[in-house]
Amino acid sequence: MVSDTKDPPPNFPPRALIVGNFCHDILIRDAHVVTESLGGAASFISTVFEGLSVTYLTVSKVGEDFAYSTNQSPIVVRNFKTTTFRAFFDSSIAGDGHGDRILKRVSACAPILPSDLPDFRFEFGMAVGVGGEVLPETLERMIEICDVVFVDIQSLIRVFDEIDGTVQHVNLKDSGFFHLLPRIGLLKASAEEAPFMDVEEVKKLCPVVVTNGKEGCKLYSNGGVLQIAPFTATQLDPTGAGDSFLGGFAAGFTAGLAVPDAALLGNLFGSLTVAQIGLPHFESRILQRIKDEVDRRKLQFIDSLAPGENELIHRMPEGHEQFQKSLGTVRSECQSNLPASHRAVEQVNGLT
């Protein structure tokens, strides 16, 4: 039995639809619990949207054991437990924040059905399941009610070991979602997930962005490939960095930024996330600086457009390097306000 306790968000109707379950995240380093926190891609993306004043509606399911409060109430499913992940880190393994992590799903809530989605339209949607909760028919319904849908590949290719819940992957062609790719706006994958698809094939169906830690991210389209620079950060926890990247990217793109500029904004939010443990907190002063830089850049981009160029992603827009420097200045100011940790290592955004 399902009880629908969703609350109408402010400024209704919202611009964005976020589909993915809230989770309980347990981070374990060297056999010791470091923290327990609210998790799930929906929680990280909604945090970015709150910071950038993007109105949104989340459709998430949790069990009666759900332990956290959220800005928008999830659907509580009786007789189910909240999706819970344990992330095991080993300090003895030299890695980039992902290779030293083993992720296990220890419980899973009910999937999100097409009937759980609202009946009105959105400017854009975010398909960001983490525990197998987004079904092909649910993604198809999102495509019908959203002008554009951004998809995290983890929603499509994750499978879980039947014994201990270890996260594994299937090839994208075998996922049951492949036929929907020509209808989505962008597919995001990490460097660890990218081998489970043929990027050269998929980029002919939809744009692809691949995040790759200290290398930043790459944008793939029919027109070619672009490398987008990272922002260095002191890493404490890579969890949710890719989610924050996608939230920043979507917010920037739908605000009117060129795709490479939106990816740069995504890199920034990814770097801000890895510098904190658990769900990040973005200081209001820093957020206002980011909004000011985005508004300034958006006006520059609109003024420099030639007819029909607003959706091109295969070349760097004029002024991109200056935008990178401006965001880098904001990032440096933010870094100086974050607490140091003896466990921290130099790292960058886009790790999950």
Side-chain angles (χ1 to χ4, degrees), residues 18-21 59 109-114 117 126-140 142 149 151-152 154-158 175 177 180:
I18 304 173
V19 177
N21 286 350
V59 178
C109 198
I112 298 171
L113 306 176
L117 304 184
M126 311 287 292
V128 290
V130 291
E133 67 269 25
V134 176
L135 307 174
E137 54 267 35
T138 305
L139 177 56
E140 187 164 18
M142 289 183 67
V149 177
V151 179
D152 194 324
Q154 68 182 6
S155 300
L156 316 183
I157 66 170
R158 275 189 176 183
S175 67
F177 292 90
L180 295 174

Side-chain angles (χ1 to χ4, degrees), residues 17-239:
L17 173 65
I18 304 173
V19 177
N21 286 350
F22 293 130
C23 304
H24 293 164
D25 277 354
I26 304 171
L27 276 62
I28 303 169
R29 185 177 295 278
D30 303 328
H32 298 286
V33 174
V34 175
T35 188
E36 299 184 24
S37 67
L38 172 65
S43 64
F44 285 90
I45 291 172
S46 61
T47 298
V48 173
F49 284 1
E50 290 281 348
L52 295 178
S53 303
V54 177
T55 59
Y56 66 92
L57 175 71
T58 56
V59 178
S60 300
K61 288 184 176 179
V62 298
E64 293 180 300
D65 62 336
F66 188 52
Y68 301 97
S69 61
T70 55
N71 287 336
Q72 294 178 29
S73 300
I75 301 170
V76 179
V77 186
R78 297 187 179 94
N79 300 321
F80 272 84
K81 291 185 177 181
T82 300
T83 300
T84 299
F85 285 93
R86 290 178 181 168
F88 297 86
F89 295 86
D90 188 343
S91 297
S92 66
I93 300 176
D96 64 358
H98 189 90
D100 61 342
R101 182 182 74 166
I102 297 176
L103 190 62
K104 297 184 178 183
R105 187 187 71 177
V106 297
S107 62
C109 198
I112 298 171
L113 306 176
S115 58
D116 295 317
L117 304 184
D119 291 329
F120 48 86
R121 291 202 63 79
F122 296 86
E123 288 184 34
F124 64 100
M126 311 287 292
V128 290
V130 291
E133 67 269 25
V134 176
L135 307 174
E137 54 267 35
T138 305
L139 177 56
E140 187 164 18
R141 177 59 181 160
M142 289 183 67
I143 293 169
E144 293 171 353
I145 64 175
C146 300
D147 293 341
V148 62
V149 177
F150 304 102
V151 179
D152 194 324
I153 198 173
Q154 68 182 6
S155 300
L156 316 183
I157 66 170
R158 275 189 176 183
V159 293
F160 307 91
D161 185 88
E162 293 182 359
I163 298 176
D164 66 0
T166 298
V167 175
Q168 301 169 340
H169 301 97
V170 298
N171 192 280
L172 182 57
K173 276 195 169 180
D174 301 322
S175 67
F177 292 90
F178 194 82
H179 68 288
L180 295 174
L181 296 184
R183 300 172 63 191
I184 68 173
L186 178 131
L187 181 69
K188 174 260 172 190
S190 69
E192 292 77 20
E193 295 162 337
F196 294 91
M197 64 173 166
D198 183 339
V199 175
E200 292 300 313
E201 179 183 15
V202 173
K203 76 176 188 180
K204 298 175 183 177
L205 303 175
C206 66
V208 177
V209 60
V210 177
T211 58
N212 190 21
K214 62 184 178 181
E215 302 300 325
C217 68
K218 286 185 177 181
L219 291 168
Y220 296 87
S221 70
N222 262 334
V225 58
L226 283 180
Q227 176 73 48
I228 307 299
F231 294 93
T232 57
T234 301
Q235 178 189 291
L236 298 180
D237 175 17
T239 306

Side-chain angles (χ1 to χ4, degrees), residues 232-237 268-277 279-283 285-286 330-342 344 347:
T232 57
T234 301
Q235 178 189 291
L236 298 180
D237 175 17
L268 175 63
F269 275 97
S271 75
L272 294 174
T273 296
V274 300
Q276 304 178 55
I277 295 177
L279 200 65
H281 169 75
F282 303 125
E283 185 184 349
R285 180 180 64 85
I286 296 298
V330 177
R331 179 68 187 85
S332 297
E333 292 177 7
C334 182
Q335 181 66 30
S336 65
N337 293 330
L338 291 174
S341 170
H342 67 279
Q347 196 45 263

